[in-house]
Amino acid sequence: MYKKREFKLIGNPLNLFLLVNRYGCNFRYLGRLWFYILKSIIFFPFYFLESVFLSKSYSKMKIDQSPIFILGHHRSGTTLLHKLISQDPQFCYFKNSDIIFPRLNTPGKKILKLFLTFIIRTFRIKTFAYNNVLFELDDPQEEDMCMTGMFEPDTFYWKFVFPNSRYDPLMVIEPEIANQKWKNTYSFYLKRVQYHNKSKKLLFKNPPNTARVKTLLEIFPNAKFIYINRDPYEIIYSTIRLWKKGLQVFSLQRYNDILIEDLVFKYFKAFHKKYISEKDFIPLANLIEVKYDDLKTDPLSVIKTIYHKFNLNFDTIEEPLLKQINKEKEYKVFKYQRKERLDNRIKLMLNEMTMSSLIIYN
């Protein structure tokens, strides 16, 4: 049985070396690897201090209010939904800044954050995944993305670093021992957020969690879930683009369009299969399913429906929500050219999933 420990080393650079040793790095990406190593060298002293002074407090932290988890495949609208609900001051969540900064208040941290914000806005630095969205340090971010940035193993986005390897991010929670280890690690990072936002309710959006419902319920039996779905054709086309852009930024291994397409189809089916097989474990009062098209057409009504379902106070969010809705209108939707070969592959997959009762879009 995996033994739970109160002390945990955050941002451990040794994990990076272990993963590279296990899965390999292509020679052409050595420069990128050195960038990862440099990042670990610069930030590890601060993560080490955070580990020494706060990790035991994180481990002992109790999460009294059950979290809300936003589920759905990549590019299904989870980010939009998360950004809208995160306008409510009663919630806390992972932020983009968690990828960069330790949560220890060190001298000069605020100045560095202001400087980075100035650089981002001056040079119009955008997120890798979206068309015209600036990288805002305080915007909500996925747990797996933040944990990968802190060199935590067993997260989904190491597949973006080692795409052409045997690493399967959804298998790490399957075996009993690995499952318990993953739960302890994941809980630790959620407690880390809660510790610095003690009176707030946890709100997370993390597409890989779509395939982890049963495991999440083992940690938080009364957790609430919002599942958002979208036209599978739009998801597949947009997710292929996401993987291409992600691998251009993060990969340490060679890849090609065939590999990317195979990975997208593999995880699309895996996410949906797991969600369909596990969603009945969620009490009916704790699950709501919404559609991306409805969210885009009338976001205010969708958010109101969610708040009514979970008995949340809508008064705390209405004004900032309306401002964010207007801001989101500036976002340029990804446009793609339909390809007969890809359409046929999607159609075949959907037919197979329908026959297996795994299709959930309607």
Side-chain angles (χ1 to χ4, degrees), residues 159-314:
K159 196 63 180 177
F160 278 64
V161 181
F162 305 105
N164 199 7
S165 73
R166 67 182 184 279
Y167 177 64
D168 186 348
L170 297 184
M171 289 302 295
V172 297
I173 63 171
E174 292 298 333
E176 185 59 33
I177 294 178
N179 181 280
Q180 187 58 50
K181 181 180 179 181
W182 185 89
K183 287 192 291 186
N184 288 341
T185 300
Y186 185 75
S187 298
F188 175 87
Y189 281 99
L190 268 60
K191 291 177 179 180
R192 182 172 176 257
V193 175
Q194 186 74 85
Y195 179 85
H196 294 281
N197 300 273
K198 291 185 173 65
S199 63
K200 294 190 175 184
K201 192 179 185 69
L202 296 169
L203 172 70
F204 300 120
K205 113 36 199 190
N206 197 36
N209 280 345
T210 309
R212 300 169 178 159
V213 168
K214 187 176 180 181
T215 303
L216 293 175
L217 286 170
E218 291 171 359
I219 308 173
F220 304 106
N222 198 39
K224 293 177 172 58
F225 297 87
I226 307 168
Y227 177 82
I228 182 167
N229 61 25
R230 186 182 183 184
D231 182 348
Y233 286 86
E234 295 179 2
I235 288 179
I236 295 295
Y237 274 92
S238 189
T239 306
I240 288 175
R241 178 177 179 272
L242 171 71
W243 275 81
K244 286 182 178 179
K245 293 177 74 69
L247 294 181
Q248 288 172 3
V249 175
F250 302 115
S251 180
L252 293 179
Q253 297 177 337
R254 290 183 180 274
Y255 59 89
N256 55 43
D257 289 349
I258 296 175
L259 174 64
I260 291 174
E261 190 175 303
D262 288 345
L263 288 172
V264 169
F265 276 80
K266 173 183 177 179
Y267 290 116
F268 181 90
K269 289 187 286 187
F271 281 23
H272 287 74
K273 180 178 180 180
K274 288 280 284 184
Y275 177 72
I276 288 295
S277 65
E278 295 181 353
K279 76 170 189 173
D280 288 342
F281 290 105
I282 307 172
L284 291 177
N286 291 345
L287 171 65
I288 183 170
E289 296 183 343
V290 300
K291 295 180 180 180
Y292 171 78
D293 291 341
D294 293 338
L295 184 66
K296 287 291 292 182
T297 303
D298 192 356
L300 191 64
S301 294
V302 171
I303 302 301
K304 280 185 177 180
T305 301
I306 292 170
Y307 270 59
H308 177 73
K309 173 75 175 184
F310 295 149
N311 296 314
L312 299 170
N313 181 13
F314 188 76

Side-chain angles (χ1 to χ4, degrees), residues 13-257:
L14 180 60
N15 290 332
L16 173 63
F17 293 103
L18 292 175
L19 288 166
V20 170
N21 180 65
R22 185 179 304 167
Y23 300 116
C25 173
N26 189 270
F27 181 80
R28 69 180 293 186
Y29 297 110
L30 286 180
R32 186 173 293 167
L33 176 59
W34 278 111
F35 174 80
Y36 292 158
I37 293 172
L38 180 63
K39 177 182 182 294
S40 71
I41 292 173
I42 292 174
F43 287 101
F44 179 65
F46 302 101
Y47 280 124
F48 179 77
L49 290 174
E50 181 182 2
S51 303
V52 170
F53 290 106
L54 292 175
S55 71
K56 289 187 178 180
S57 297
Y58 294 159
S59 296
K60 294 177 180 179
M61 184 71 197
K62 292 184 178 180
I63 299 178
D64 295 323
Q65 300 184 74
S66 296
I68 294 178
F69 294 101
I70 297 174
L71 308 178
H73 194 277
H74 295 96
R75 312 303 294 133
S76 63
T78 57
T79 297
L80 174 59
L81 188 56
H82 195 200
K83 289 177 74 173
L84 293 179
I85 300 179
S86 68
Q87 301 309 305
D88 192 331
Q90 72 173 299
F91 290 116
C92 62
Y93 38 83
F94 284 85
K95 298 181 179 180
N96 281 328
S97 57
D98 289 318
I99 302 176
I100 303 173
F101 300 112
R103 279 187 172 264
L104 194 68
N105 289 322
T106 55
K109 180 178 177 180
K110 290 184 178 179
I111 295 175
L112 179 58
K113 187 175 180 181
L114 288 173
F115 175 73
L116 285 176
T117 300
F118 172 77
I119 293 296
I120 290 168
R121 293 179 179 175
T122 300
F123 293 96
R124 307 292 295 173
I125 299 174
K126 302 174 183 178
T127 63
F128 79 90
Y130 301 99
N131 296 338
N132 65 331
V133 179
L134 292 182
F135 184 84
E136 298 285 355
L137 293 174
D138 289 328
D139 271 357
Q141 183 54 269
E142 301 170 18
E143 307 95 277
D144 274 45
M145 184 67 78
C146 293
M147 291 165 65
T148 303
M150 290 180 276
F151 304 115
E152 194 64 47
D154 300 338
T155 69
F156 184 86
Y157 293 108
W158 284 114
K159 196 63 180 177
F160 278 64
V161 181
F162 305 105
N164 199 7
S165 73
R166 67 182 184 279
Y167 177 64
D168 186 348
L170 297 184
M171 289 302 295
V172 297
I173 63 171
E174 292 298 333
E176 185 59 33
I177 294 178
N179 181 280
Q180 187 58 50
K181 181 180 179 181
W182 185 89
K183 287 192 291 186
N184 288 341
T185 300
Y186 185 75
S187 298
F188 175 87
Y189 281 99
L190 268 60
K191 291 177 179 180
R192 182 172 176 257
V193 175
Q194 186 74 85
Y195 179 85
H196 294 281
N197 300 273
K198 291 185 173 65
S199 63
K200 294 190 175 184
K201 192 179 185 69
L202 296 169
L203 172 70
F204 300 120
K205 113 36 199 190
N206 197 36
N209 280 345
T210 309
R212 300 169 178 159
V213 168
K214 187 176 180 181
T215 303
L216 293 175
L217 286 170
E218 291 171 359
I219 308 173
F220 304 106
N222 198 39
K224 293 177 172 58
F225 297 87
I226 307 168
Y227 177 82
I228 182 167
N229 61 25
R230 186 182 183 184
D231 182 348
Y233 286 86
E234 295 179 2
I235 288 179
I236 295 295
Y237 274 92
S238 189
T239 306
I240 288 175
R241 178 177 179 272
L242 171 71
W243 275 81
K244 286 182 178 179
K245 293 177 74 69
L247 294 181
Q248 288 172 3
V249 175
F250 302 115
S251 180
L252 293 179
Q253 297 177 337
R254 290 183 180 274
Y255 59 89
N256 55 43
D257 289 349

